[in-house]
Amino acid sequence: MSSPRKNRPPVGQVPTPGPAPQTADPDAVRTVRPDDPPSSSDGGLPPSAGDADSRAGVHPVDEARPLGRILLFGIQHVLVMAATPISAIFLMSATLGLDSGLTVDLLSAAFVLSGVGSLVQSLGIWKFGPRLPFVMLPGGAPLILFLAIAEQHGLRTATGAVILTAVFTFVVLPLFSRLLAYFPALVIGTMIVIVGVNLVKVGAVLVTGQPGSPGFADPGNLGLGLATIGFTVAFYLFFTGVLRQLAVMLGLLAGAVLAAATGAIDGAGADAMGGGLVNLPQLMPFGSPQFNLVAALPLMLYTLASMAEATGQTVINAEAVGKRIDTRTDVPKTVRGDALTSLFGGFFGLPLMVTSGENIGIVRVTGVRSRFVTAAAGVVLVAIGILAPVTRAISVIPTPVVGGTAMVVFGVITVLGIQMLGRSDLDKHTSTFVCAVALALGLLPILVPGVYGGFPPNVRILLESGVAVGTFTAVVLNILFHHVRPGVVARLTTPRTESDR
């Protein structure tokens, strides 16, 4: 009989997940294993030459499927994920008052850099990319921090902050493993909830406009936003399979069709449809970056949490494809891929680029685990960014329609944070207290804008970042309650011997 020690995976490796329990729910996600044969029930491809390669020793994540199938599944990833860069750039444009030409250039850059980042993470280049089916996108908390810096210090300083943060990531990466203990699910879950609430609010402002501005809460705009959400819900309710996965994108398209039918696409938007066939992203669209360490601090603080999040996403992705990984080497590859893509993205006027966890759900549902599928998605994203008619067509979609889509997508982020908090022992009073205080301080500047208006500008930019404040508070309180306090209590309650005295 073999000993238990011999059956343990090597140190630093993630064990292959066991089979998921049986369920009668047709929408349940089944965890896949390397030795599971593809079947129609889990959406996998039918047996082919690739399966023979798998049996010969090629892992499904490394299988080279027929080009037509790889491209088809890659387009599916793009259609599901495309709403995120669209929402991010429209949010930038609406918040900062950018003109339509600059919006088209940024949208082109967002698609191209998303594609390049997806290729780096999926194919792996030297020490960059874990060679897992990842898609990279802008948006989320980095976008909010980017906008806050831009409003306080200008767009040139905001792009400089992105570049500084990318360099900072490379510098602190060797020490990152020592910080992992201070970013448990309690901290990351609290951070994601604050991010989600903030983003839902921002998406709602796209629908209603800024309070006090002309046309605020216009019934027509509200109708378009709510109709877009309604279309998305209807598609998700009545469709199944791949079409259900495309519900967000189909809802966006349906909202755009309704906007065109009601005359909500104005002449300025129609003018944007003119021009050539190719549109290359513009280098330094806001001018030469300006570097301000104080202004970049919120992004630098966030990137510590982002690296912790990248750790979880890499592990989850490996579990989804049933591949053993060494977290000590593969997680840094993911972080380096994020930092490299963000470094180039900063020179094209984009916020930080991050690996997306949403596409992992697609991998698990379809059972198609090949990293070449997301590499194909990267190629499609680059093509979309370069083809000017496509980016121009996307740029004329009214902001209320994009806002309705954004509210749904960003609401999902909030739910993911709640799910993570559910795994963080909130039944313990100390965990509940840490989460409550961090949420209160993190949501304060979001729910009461301008609350720190009387503080100096350099202090205000830190305090007005609810994500940074909430994350910092959660980290500090987690250390005090779960690392410092137990040791102090143990020393005070342990009877001292004569030698101790």
Side-chain angles (χ1 to χ4, degrees):
M1 179 180 297
S2 60
S3 65
R5 181 176 299 275
K6 292 181 180 180
N7 293 328
R8 294 177 182 174
V11 175
Q13 290 191 351
V14 178
T16 303
Q22 297 296 324
T23 176
D25 183 1
D27 296 323
V29 176
R30 183 173 68 88
T31 302
V32 293
R33 293 171 56 93
D35 53 353
D36 287 343
S39 65
S40 58
S41 62
D42 63 14
L45 292 172
S48 63
D51 299 319
D53 293 339
S54 179
R55 288 190 295 269
V58 178
H59 192 280
V61 78
D62 298 318
E63 285 182 354
R65 298 286 187 176
L67 181 60
R69 292 182 179 180
I70 287 178
L71 185 60
L72 177 63
F73 283 103
I75 291 174
Q76 172 181 274
H77 276 271
V78 171
L79 290 176
V80 174
M81 311 303 294
T84 300
I86 295 171
S87 302
I89 299 306
F90 270 70
L91 180 58
M92 284 182 59
S93 179
T95 303
L96 303 175
L98 306 180
D99 60 50
S100 59
L102 190 52
T103 300
V104 170
D105 285 336
L106 290 174
L107 193 58
S108 173
F111 277 114
V112 170
L113 266 297
S114 295
V116 170
S118 301
L119 285 167
V120 169
Q121 300 288 27
S122 300
L123 299 180
I125 302 173
W126 190 44
K127 295 184 178 181
F128 298 87
R131 297 189 178 184
L132 290 170
F134 267 127
V135 173
M136 286 196 67
L137 297 170
L143 173 61
I144 300 303
L145 295 175
F146 178 90
L147 294 178
I149 297 171
E151 290 179 325
Q152 290 286 335
H153 297 273
L155 280 164
R156 295 172 64 187
T157 301
T159 55
V162 172
I163 296 170
L164 285 174
T165 302
V167 174
F168 172 76
T169 303
F170 285 116
V171 172
V172 303
L173 184 57
L175 303 176
F176 170 63
S177 59
R178 299 182 181 180
L179 300 175
L180 279 177
Y182 304 112
F183 287 89
L186 176 65
V187 173
I188 298 177
T190 302
M191 176 192 68
I192 294 177
V193 169
I194 296 173
V195 169
V197 172
N198 196 12
L199 289 176
V200 169
K201 177 186 175 181
V202 173
V205 170
L206 289 180
V207 177
T208 64
Q210 290 288 347
S213 63
F216 170 70
D218 177 80
N221 291 336
L222 281 172
L224 276 179
L226 294 176
T228 301
I229 295 174
F231 286 136
T232 304
V233 172
F235 290 140
Y236 198 82
L237 177 64
F238 294 110
F239 287 167
T240 58
V242 175
L243 289 178
R244 194 180 198 197
Q245 290 293 322
L246 303 178
V248 172
M249 195 65 192
L250 292 175
L252 175 69
L253 295 176
V257 171
L258 178 62
T262 57
I265 298 180
D266 56 21
D271 292 340
M273 293 299 292
L277 179 63
V278 176
N279 180 48
L280 295 178
Q282 181 181 350
L283 186 65
M284 293 186 290
F286 310 123
S288 300
Q290 292 183 342
F291 302 104
N292 185 327
L293 282 173
V294 175
L297 278 178
L299 272 179
M300 291 181 177
L301 177 62
Y302 168 79
T303 199
L304 297 176
S306 178
M307 286 190 286
E309 186 176 354
T311 302
Q313 288 185 347
T314 305
V315 171
I316 293 173
N317 200 325
E319 290 180 352
V321 299
K323 182 179 180 180
R324 294 178 182 272
I325 63 169
D326 187 339
T327 56
R328 295 170 299 183
T329 57
D330 289 297
V331 169
K333 289 179 181 179
T334 302
V335 176
R336 290 191 198 102
D338 286 356
L340 181 66
T341 309
S342 296
L343 181 64
F344 284 103
F347 285 102
F348 287 95
L350 298 177
L352 287 178
M353 305 288 293
V354 295
T355 49
S356 171
E358 298 171 30
N359 73 297
I360 298 174
I362 304 173
V363 172
R364 297 184 67 179
V365 170
T366 63
V368 181
R369 295 170 271 176
S370 174
R371 58 190 172 93
F372 297 107
V373 169
T374 48
V379 174
V380 173
L381 285 167
V382 172
I384 290 175
I386 293 177
L387 293 176
V390 178
T391 53
R392 292 194 185 102
I394 292 173
S395 70
V396 303
I397 301 175
T399 53
V401 174
V402 179
T405 301
M407 290 175 67
V408 175
V409 173
F410 297 152
V412 171
I413 295 176
T414 308
V415 174
L416 292 176
I418 295 172
Q419 289 177 337
M420 186 167 291
L421 286 176
R423 301 193 297 268
S424 58
D425 295 329
L426 283 182
D427 54 332
K428 296 181 179 178
H429 296 301
T430 53
S431 297
T432 302
F433 185 80
V434 169
C435 181
V437 175
L439 285 176
L441 295 180
L443 292 176
L444 178 60
I446 298 172
L447 301 178
V448 187
V451 65
Y452 298 116
F455 287 75
N458 289 337
V459 177
R460 189 168 67 244
I461 193 172
L462 289 172
L463 295 177
E464 289 183 347
S465 170
V467 178
V469 171
T471 303
F472 179 77
T473 302
V475 169
V476 171
L477 293 182
N478 179 67
I479 293 173
L480 291 176
F481 281 94
H482 295 149
H483 294 269
V484 176
R485 185 175 182 272
V488 173
V489 171
R491 290 179 62 88
L492 293 177
T493 57
T494 301
R496 291 186 299 173
T497 63
E498 188 66 30
S499 60
D500 294 330
R501 297 190 179 94

